[in-house]
Each structure stands twice: as C-alpha cells, then as structure tokens.
Amino acid sequence: MSAWGFGRHTAVRAEPAHTGPAVALTQVSKVYSGGVRALHDVTLTVWPGTLLAVMGPSGSGKSTLMHCAAGLDSPTSGSVRVDGHEIAGLDETRRTELRRDHVGFVFQAYNLIPSLSIQDNITLPLRLAGRTFDRDWMNALIERVGIAGCLGRRPAELSGGQQQRAALVRALVAKPAVVFADEPTGALDLHSAHQVLQLLRSLVDEFHQTVVMVTHDPAAAAWAHEALVMADGRVVDSLMAPTAARLADCLIALGGY
Ligand code: ADP
Ligand code: MG
C-alpha cells in the first residue's frame, strides 16, 4: 500500500519489529464499573503502514477503544496484541512498559512541556526510558515536518500547528509500532489542521509508520487509508479510501451529528 522510504528518506526508515499486524483486537469487550458496556466484541486489525481513522458519535466507544488498544486501560474480555505482544490482562506496570516500548501518542492539546525547548521535548521520552536514539531518524522527521528552525524555542513561542508537528516527531522518534492520535487537529485552525493531517499521512506513506487517529471530523478522517465507524460500542462500518462526503453521510445516518 505505501512506499518504503523512497528518495532521500531511504536510509532512515524505521524497521518494523515483526511482520504481523501493528495492532490486533479480537472480540474485545469493555464493561465499566457501573455496568456501562462501552465495547461489544470488537475485532479489528491495523497493518503496518496504515493510517486508520476511528469515527462515531459521542459516546460510541472511540476513546474506550483507543485506551484498550493502546494499553492505557484493560478490556473486560478479549485479546489486544500490540506489535505481537498480548497486553489484555497485564498489570498496570507491564502495560506501562509495553506502551513505552511500542506505542506513541499525539494529543489534541499537544502536551508539550512548557519549560523545555522543542528539542528537549522531542528527546525527553527516550531519555526517560534510558534509550539511545537514532539521530538520523530524528533529523529526518524534524526536516520532514518542517520544524528544524524551532528546536531551540519553547512551546509557547510556536504556533499550534508547529507545536503539533513537534508532537508528531516526539511520538515517532522512538520508532513505535503504532501511534495513537486523539483528535490531533481538534485545537487547530483549518489551515494548520490541513498541514498536520497532510504530514501525518505523508509520514505513514513515506516512512511506513502506523497511526490510529480518533476523530469526529469527516474532513480529518478523509486523510486515512481506512475509516472505521463506531456506534454503541460496535464497529458498524468500514470505508476504504474514505471521502468526507461519504463519511458525513454515514455519520448522519447514525443520528449522532
Ligand atoms: P466516545 O469517545 O466515542 O465519546 P467513550 O469511549 O468515551 O465514547 O464512551 C463510551 C461509553 O462508555 C459512554 O456511554 C460513556 O459514558 C461510557 N464511559 C466512558 N468512560 C467511562 C468510565 N470511566 N466509567 C464509566 N463509563 C464510562
Ligand atoms: Mg471520546
């Protein structure tokens, strides 16, 4: 589906740790204490080199799905494999280790540390984990997202779009098997949102990265290779090469928009 590092990026592609799915959920259910069944038997596979969007009305289970798939929470039943590792049923400590080694995150509010330079924000997760890092890979990411001129500045000195582009580099620098992005353009103006989404898709295609993006915005989800539509804790539709118009139709039919 996507090209493996062409042109000047050839030398710096991130090699996948294994050849199977980046993420695989099998019959995952989640019942919160209090009895709310937020996920019903969800089965899905995310292949390396894919940008997958997860859409659906408020309360349909998008956040719960992401939290279970990313190892932030445990499902009540079912299997969650990240980069081949089973994480359902692991205790909090082991899930934290697994996230640190295999998962990256991008948040709506960027979540950069205000007192640190952009350069230090990017390398902080690696330094905290005591990991060495691949400078060629980091520099290729920095160049590709266009923030080379911002590395010495603090987050507040950058635009929202620049901060989110720095957060993309931070999420990818450790070569995670998958990056989960929760409404990554929710705080951006239209132009910056477009730039960030175009970059996200480019990073997936050119660098063979894997991204799962939760969004309620059909225009954002239209950048994905595939969009899943959730309703009442189930995946009710899947659109390949989705367009904003088809996604909007699908969501309107569910009555949540
Ligand atoms: P979405 O992200 O699509 O808006 P969520 O995954 O946040 O949906 O929520 C799915 C359902 O689970 C909703 O009914 C919500 O109220 C419920 N829910 C979410 N988080 C919790 C929680 N921590 N405890 C109890 N119920 C929850
Ligand atoms: Mg949510």
Side-chain angles (χ1 to χ4, degrees):
M1 178 186 303
S2 55
W4 267 75
F6 44 75
R8 64 198 162 88
H9 302 305
T10 304
V12 293
R13 70 195 179 198
E15 301 290 346
H18 81 138
T19 54
V23 183
L25 272 62
T26 310
Q27 293 195 299
V28 168
S29 293
K30 174 72 179 180
V31 183
Y32 285 110
S33 53
V36 176
R37 181 174 281 268
L39 295 177
H40 295 260
D41 273 351
V42 172
T43 295
L44 66 89
T45 303
V46 188
W47 290 99
T50 311
L51 174 56
L52 177 76
V54 178
M55 299 205 73
S58 180
S60 60
K62 303 181 297 293
S63 294
T64 305
L65 179 71
M66 186 187 123
H67 290 161
C68 289
L72 289 165
D73 199 355
S74 254
T76 308
S77 60
S79 159
V80 177
R81 297 181 83 86
V82 175
D83 209 20
H85 303 273
E86 177 63 57
I87 60 173
L90 293 185
D91 63 27
E92 176 61 40
T93 309
R94 299 202 34 225
R95 273 194 278 119
T96 302
E97 284 170 9
L98 206 119
R99 282 200 306 274
R100 193 190 62 205
D101 293 343
H102 302 278
V103 181
F105 291 95
V106 175
F107 305 94
Q108 178 171 347
Y110 328 127
N111 294 17
L112 298 167
I113 295 174
S115 59
L116 295 181
S117 68
I118 294 301
Q119 171 78 54
D120 287 346
N121 266 286
I122 289 169
T123 56
L124 183 69
L126 292 165
R127 286 184 284 124
L128 286 176
R131 300 252 298 263
T132 57
F133 54 101
D134 180 341
R135 275 192 188 277
D136 289 343
W137 171 240
M138 180 176 72
N139 291 336
L141 289 170
I142 287 169
E143 190 196 325
R144 186 65 188 82
V145 308
I147 56 159
C150 307
L151 295 177
R153 295 193 234 157
R154 305 261 165 94
E157 299 172 285
L158 271 56
S159 70
Q162 287 171 324
Q163 291 187 60
Q164 196 60 308
R165 286 185 273 146
L168 290 182
V169 176
R170 179 185 56 181
L172 288 164
V173 73
K175 303 183 180 180
V178 58
V179 169
F180 288 93
D182 192 1
E183 300 281 3
T185 54
L188 297 175
D189 63 78
L190 276 178
H191 174 70
S192 306
H194 182 96
Q195 277 189 330
V196 164
L197 290 161
Q198 192 169 39
L199 269 170
L200 201 57
R201 174 64 187 250
S202 305
L203 293 166
V204 169
D205 287 343
E206 294 171 23
F207 292 141
H208 202 73
Q209 299 302 287
T210 310
V211 177
V212 177
M213 170 173 69
V214 173
T215 178
H216 69 277
D217 178 5
W223 286 91
H225 293 106
E226 180 181 3
L228 303 180
V229 181
M230 297 193 69
D232 297 328
R234 293 186 168 87
V235 176
V236 294
D237 212 342
S238 158
L239 285 76
M240 300 303 294
T243 64
R246 281 168 61 218
L247 287 164
D249 284 347
C250 199
L251 293 163
I252 288 163
L254 290 170
Y257 283 72

